[in-house]
């Protein structure tokens, strides 16, 4: 949380004086939050406050654009790994999941991205609900794909394209307004996903997909989906308590809080079925 908070304030402020003042305010808010609240809830409250006092609605815009460009250069690397995979669906899922390292914290350390790609293809998911996913997907038509970060959405295009080629009707969900470095509708088009699926959004800029807060159109897509793919820790944290076996969470566990819930070590990749965490 401290690292994320520092990045948020640094990218939202124009000078050191403003940065120090806003950071102090954010720390004050952080100190008042109940300990039982999740990091997603806490961050959303602080994000809204920082946007309000700085007037900078999308502080990570340049970083997101840079992540998308980096991800595009890595697509040939992913394709080389995919060529070696016997199960192309499983391989596409690994490729999409590797992109979960492409967040604001990883910016500037591209070696982390290459290591994540190698890790997920060579080590795989430490907890893997792939068999249940493949069986459910075989009988499904409507797939609701809840995206996560910019950059990562470029990697998502591999899995989305594969599902489209298999005749699935896919709807991709992005954030409605800026939230850290999460993907927005502009990233959807930057990734070329309009060729394979429709797009809806969460209606707001909170981290994670919160079913009770999304627009009615998005809620209807969620309810009608046969399979739901939810990318990233924010979506996992927001929905892991929902007893819905249609949901499959794909993410890299980057903190102890999430690792404990998922039953893995920090740094592991996971693919978990909802209702069976």
């Amino acid at each position: 949380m401290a690292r994320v908070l520092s990045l948020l304030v640094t990218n939202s402020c124009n000078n050191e004086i403003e940065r120090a003042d806003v950071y102090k305010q954010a720390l004050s808010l952080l100190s008042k939050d109940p300990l039982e609240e999740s990091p997603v809830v806490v961050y959303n409250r602080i994000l809204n406050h920082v946007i309000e006092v700085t007037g900078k609605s999308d502080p990570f815009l340049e970083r997101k654009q840079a992540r998308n460009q980096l991800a595009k250069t890595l697509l040939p690397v992913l394709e080389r790994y995919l060529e070696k995979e016997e199960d192309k669906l499983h391989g596409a899922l690994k490729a999409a999941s590797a992109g979960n390292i492409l967040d604001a914290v990883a910016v500037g350390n591209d070696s982390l991205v290459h290591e994540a790609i190698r890790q997920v293809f060579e080590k795989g998911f430490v907890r893997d609900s792939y068999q249940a996913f493949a069986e459910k997907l075989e009988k499904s038509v409507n797939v609701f794909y809840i995206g996560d970060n910019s950059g990562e959405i470029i990697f998502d295009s591999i899995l989305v394209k594969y599902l489209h080629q298999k005749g699935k009707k896919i709807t991709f969900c992005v954030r409605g307004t800026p939230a850290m470095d999460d993907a927005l509708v502009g990233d959807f088009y930057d990734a070329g996903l309009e060729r394979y699926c429709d797009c809806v959004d969460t209606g707001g800029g909170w981290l994670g997909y919160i079913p009770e807060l999304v627009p009615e159109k998005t809620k209807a897509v969620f309810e009608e989906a046969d399979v739901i793919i939810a990318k990233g820790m924010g979506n996992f944290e927001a929905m892991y308590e929902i007893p819905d076996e249609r949901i499959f969470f794909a993410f890299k566990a980057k903190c102890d809080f999430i690792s404990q819930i998922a039953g893995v070590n920090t740094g592991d990749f996971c693919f978990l079925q909802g209702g069976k965490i």
Side-chain angles (χ1 to χ4, degrees):
M1 176 61 76
R3 171 65 170 153
V4 171
L5 181 57
S6 177
L7 283 168
L8 172 62
V9 173
T10 298
N11 284 275
S12 300
C13 300
N14 297 316
N15 56 65
E16 289 296 334
I17 295 176
E18 182 186 20
R19 189 172 296 122
D21 182 50
V22 174
Y23 194 71
K24 184 177 180 180
Q25 294 176 44
L27 287 176
S28 178
L29 284 173
L30 183 61
S31 68
K32 295 176 183 177
D33 282 308
L35 292 176
E36 64 271 14
E37 286 193 323
S38 74
V40 165
V41 173
V42 174
Y43 174 79
N44 287 336
R45 187 176 296 118
I46 293 173
L47 172 64
N48 290 332
H49 177 78
V50 171
I51 289 174
E52 181 180 348
V53 298
T54 64
K56 194 168 185 179
S57 62
D58 196 357
F60 290 90
L61 179 59
E62 292 182 2
R63 286 173 176 262
K64 290 191 292 184
Q65 292 171 339
R67 289 290 91 178
N68 284 347
Q69 293 308 309
L70 172 63
K72 289 176 183 179
T73 68
L74 292 170
L75 288 177
V77 177
L78 293 172
E79 292 294 346
R80 287 196 291 273
Y81 275 100
L82 281 168
E83 289 174 1
K84 302 175 184 177
E85 292 285 310
E86 292 185 9
D87 187 327
K88 298 305 181 185
L89 172 61
H90 205 191
L93 182 60
K94 292 176 184 177
S97 298
N100 193 225
I101 194 64
L102 286 162
D103 59 18
V105 178
V107 168
N109 193 345
D110 295 347
S111 64
L112 288 177
V113 183
H114 287 276
E115 172 58 25
I117 294 171
R118 185 202 62 76
Q119 178 189 352
V120 74
F121 275 101
E122 295 184 5
K123 186 178 179 181
F125 300 107
V126 171
R127 290 188 62 191
D128 193 355
S129 297
Y130 174 69
Q131 193 60 43
F133 172 73
E135 291 173 2
K136 190 172 288 289
L137 187 67
E138 180 68 26
K139 305 171 185 176
S140 73
V141 174
N142 298 314
V143 177
F144 188 41
Y145 197 121
I146 307 173
D148 188 31
N149 299 322
S150 59
E152 180 175 357
I153 196 171
I154 306 297
F155 285 22
D156 288 327
S157 66
I158 293 174
L159 179 55
V160 170
K161 181 179 178 180
Y162 181 91
L163 295 173
H164 174 75
Q165 291 172 338
K166 294 300 179 180
K168 307 305 177 183
K169 181 181 178 181
I170 311 148
T171 303
F172 198 97
C173 184
V174 297
R175 301 295 181 250
T177 57
M180 198 69 175
D181 58 347
D182 284 1
L184 300 173
V185 65
D187 300 295
F188 172 85
Y189 286 104
D190 193 14
L193 292 179
E194 75 279 5
R195 293 173 289 178
Y196 313 117
C197 59
D198 295 326
C199 184
V200 295
D201 65 61
T202 59
W206 41 85
L207 292 179
Y209 183 94
I210 305 175
E212 61 269 24
L213 297 181
V214 302
E216 289 302 317
K217 178 182 179 181
T218 304
K219 191 176 297 184
V221 176
F222 182 97
E223 294 299 329
E224 293 169 5
D226 302 309
V227 171
I228 299 166
I229 300 169
K231 295 291 300 299
M233 292 199 309
N235 289 321
F236 174 72
E237 191 171 343
M239 295 192 290
Y240 75 89
E241 293 182 304
I242 299 175
D244 191 334
E245 295 185 8
R246 297 176 304 154
I247 305 175
F248 291 86
F249 300 98
F251 62 95
K252 183 178 176 68
K254 305 170 193 171
C255 70
D256 292 342
F257 180 84
I258 294 297
S259 300
Q260 291 173 6
I261 295 172
V264 298
N265 294 320
T266 299
D268 288 339
F269 277 97
C270 311
F271 186 59
L272 306 177
Q273 185 176 19
K276 298 184 178 183
I277 305 301

